[in-house]
Amino acid sequence: QVQLVQSGPEVKKPGASVKVSCTTSGYSFTTSGINWVRQAPGQGLEWMGWISPYTGNTNYAQKLQARVTLTTDTSTSTAFLELRSLRSDDTAVYYCARGELPDPFDFWGQGTLVTVSS
Amino acid sequence: SYVLTQPPSVPVAPGKTAIFTCGGDNIGRRGVHWYQQRPGQAPALVISHDSDRPSGIPERFSGSNSGNTATLTISRVEAGDEADYYCQVWNSGTDHYVFGTGSKLTVL
């Protein structure tokens, strides 16, 4: 069965960077894109970006484009989200989700809580 | 930017029908997807492309989309349906996904 398993919670100071991983199994990694979505405490869902593991092509939300980098490692079927220059309002649960543009997200990771605090 | 508006709360008694709306400019021209997010869990796809049910989603869940409003309907509501529900579209103008503001289903 398709599974997306994310790395554990992180606590970072303002200005630092964080890298979250999403290890997939149960399907061919290069056949579908990976999206990243975040959810601040008590808030709604915010799409951050998409990456194709096959081509390496990316598509970033304009708001985050300057601070986010999506990458993949096809040898381990893992996708990565790096967010730089962290601020307190980056505190959120970060989800990876499988989906090819412009289709819906059919499988999601369990989420990774990133807390930004001094 | 493209905005999707949902009512914050949808209260319904058990066994009744819950109707969620998702408003957007000419949303009927776009494919709308719906996600269910139970407390403390990741979202899960319940309706894709306006009205398609993924495998494992009960027939009680249905969707439609026309004009400026997309709709998710849950028939014979159960306590286990309590969750937040989000609509989503692909905005081809910006090549970005957009999520609605979300609606909380409260089973009375």
Side-chain angles (χ1 to χ4, degrees), chain A:
Chain A
Q1 72 282 23
V2 174
Q3 287 190 314
L4 287 74
V5 178
Q6 299 183 222
S7 49
E10 302 265 10
V11 179
K12 296 291 183 181
K13 294 193 181 303
S17 298
V18 69
K19 194 167 186 177
V20 178
S21 68
C22 170
T23 301
T24 71
S25 60
Y27 74 102
S28 179
F29 184 56
T30 55
T31 60
S32 185
I34 295 289
N35 293 271
W36 290 87
V37 176
R38 71 178 180 178
Q39 185 172 37
Q43 302 301 308
L45 303 173
E46 178 185 17
W47 178 75
M48 301 179 67
W50 166 91
I51 184 168
S52 165
Y54 180 67
T55 63
N57 288 347
T58 55
N59 183 344
Y60 298 117
Q62 197 162 11
K63 170 185 173 183
L64 296 167
Q65 188 162 9
R67 300 194 293 130
V68 67
T69 300
L70 301 183
T71 56
T72 61
D73 180 349
T74 55
S75 69
T76 60
S77 299
T78 301
F80 300 93
L81 161 71
E82 181 180 30
L83 187 60
R84 300 176 294 278
S85 302
L86 289 168
R87 310 186 292 242
S88 58
D89 62 356
D90 291 319
T91 294
V93 176
Y94 289 75
Y95 295 100
C96 59
R98 190 182 79 161
E100 195 57 64
L101 304 179
D103 292 332
F105 308 159
D106 57 358
F107 290 93
W108 293 65
Q110 84 276 19
T112 296
L113 176 61
V114 175
T115 303
V116 182
S117 173
S118 55

Side-chain angles (χ1 to χ4, degrees), chain B residues 17-67:
Chain B
T17 298
I19 298 175
F20 301 83
T21 58
C22 176
D25 185 40
N26 283 317
I27 195 174
R29 297 184 179 183
R30 305 171 187 266
V32 178
H33 319 304
W34 291 90
Y35 299 88
Q36 175 192 67
Q37 186 179 31
R38 294 190 171 104
Q41 296 186 17
L45 181 67
V46 293
I47 291 289
S48 68
H49 302 288
D50 297 339
S51 58
D52 293 339
R53 271 190 319 277
S55 173
I57 301 301
E59 291 184 8
R60 301 186 296 109
F61 288 75
S62 62
S64 63
N65 185 18
S66 179

